[in-house]
Amino acid sequence: MTHLFSPRKWWALASLLLAVSLVASVACQGPAGPAGERGAAGASGATGATGPAGPPGAPAPRSEADIALSSYSPAIGSKVTVFGSGFKPGEAVLVVLEKAVGGTEDYVMAGGEANAAGALEATTQQGTKTDVTSPALPASLKPGRYTVRATGSEGTVATTGISIKPKPAPTPKPPPPTPAASIALSSYTPAIGSKVTVFGAGFKAGEAVLVVIEKAVTGNEDYIMAGGEANASGILEATTQQGTKTDVSSPALPVSLKPGRYTVRATGSEGTQAITSISIRPAPTPTPKPTPKPTPTAVPPTPTPAPTATPTAVPTPTPAAK
């Protein structure tokens, strides 16, 4: 049987028909349908080989220790004591304020050695074996909040916080108190023209004291009443009649004073003061002298005449009878 086409021609014809059918299917294709359900995941591949181990990390700090401060908000210039626990017996501990100097350097605050129970007590004022000789928080520290870290020689570490305040302004010293002085008068109700003695106590030894009656002259001027100098015991005695070194020479309360109630003030040359009150009375009205009665002239008594002696008759003797 004679073949119309050779195999080769058959393959060429088949390819042509396939191409025509594909073109026709594409030209006549409608919109895409909905996506189908996801198929099941395939089996996992085999685990890869383990990589080489990395370098060992730094040892973690020990956290079983604690520290506490005598003050968590100290001022520049004050001392701070650090109390610690949980350190190893005999472990040397250094306590620093982290980045407290210029914001970059640690300040060695204190240091010491834990006792047999692992307790620590170190004060900035003490100075320690770690050459911590600062007596207190220095002015080189900048006020602010910092971390206090205590590090032991065997790796023990403990931290806490601290807030450093500026150094307080110095408080001015108050002036020394003025000694309490007192005065008394020989009379609190003297009359114009009388003298008054002022007795004082509590003045400084040798202090010059001036005593005035305030606003006693025409109601607006002080009257210098007396003056004198306190003795070695601070005692004063000054009288208006005496006259003193302060030129108080009035012998008594003068008539220029207006009767009334006034304040008597004693002021010392070194600031000591004492006050009392006085009530000045008007000058008393002079009492008129009584007119002396005339003394009657004594009349001498009339002398009594002496009695006259009467002579006694002498009897004549009678002659005798014979």
Side-chain angles (χ1 to χ4, degrees):
M1 182 177 177
T2 305
H3 295 284
L4 295 178
F5 298 101
S6 64
R8 185 175 183 182
K9 290 182 178 180
W10 276 110
W11 279 109
L13 181 59
S15 297
L16 179 61
L17 292 173
L18 180 61
V20 172
S21 64
L22 289 174
V23 172
S25 65
V26 171
C28 300
Q29 186 177 3
E37 294 183 2
R38 184 175 181 179
S44 299
T47 303
T50 303
R62 302 176 60 162
S63 59
E64 63 269 20
D66 292 308
I67 55 173
L69 307 177
S70 59
S71 174
Y72 288 89
S73 56
I76 296 295
S78 59
K79 69 178 182 179
V80 179
T81 300
V82 181
F83 304 95
S85 62
F87 294 92
K88 289 186 177 181
E91 187 174 15
V93 182
L94 187 66
V95 185
V96 301
L97 294 176
E98 294 187 337
K99 298 182 180 180
V101 181
T104 57
E105 297 181 13
D106 296 343
Y107 169 69
V108 179
M109 175 181 175
E113 188 176 280
N115 62 15
L120 170 74
E121 181 176 343
T123 304
T124 52
Q125 195 172 16
Q126 292 174 344
T128 69
K129 297 178 181 178
T130 53
D131 196 26
V132 182
T133 56
S134 172
L137 298 177
S140 60
L141 299 180
K142 184 179 179 181
R145 187 167 181 81
Y146 300 98
T147 296
V148 179
R149 180 178 296 274
T151 304
S153 57
E154 299 187 34
T156 311
V157 176
T159 62
T160 189
I162 192 172
S163 182
I164 298 178
K165 298 182 298 180
K167 184 176 182 179
T171 304
K173 293 183 178 180
T178 303
S182 60
I183 54 174
L185 307 178
S186 59
S187 173
Y188 290 88
T189 57
I192 296 294
S194 60
K195 70 176 183 178
V196 179
T197 300
V198 181
F199 304 95
F203 294 91
K204 292 184 178 180
E207 188 173 16
V209 183
L210 187 66
V211 185
V212 301
I213 302 176
E214 294 185 337
K215 299 182 179 180
V217 181
T218 66
N220 55 21
E221 293 183 15
D222 295 343
Y223 169 70
I224 299 177
M225 174 182 177
E229 187 176 282
N231 64 16
S233 300
I235 303 300
L236 170 74
E237 183 176 343
T239 305
T240 53
Q241 196 173 18
Q242 292 174 341
T244 67
K245 297 178 181 178
T246 53
D247 195 25
V248 182
S249 54
S250 172
L253 297 178
V255 295
S256 59
L257 299 182
K258 184 179 179 181
R261 188 172 180 82
Y262 300 98
T263 295
V264 177
R265 182 179 298 274
T267 303
S269 56
E270 299 186 36
T272 312
Q273 291 194 11
I275 61 173
T276 189
S277 60
I278 191 172
S279 184
I280 300 177
R281 296 179 292 115
T285 303
T287 303
K289 294 182 180 180
T291 303
K293 294 180 179 181
T295 304
T297 304
V299 178
T302 302
T304 303
T308 302
T310 300
T312 303
V314 176
T316 301
T318 301
K322 294 181 175 181

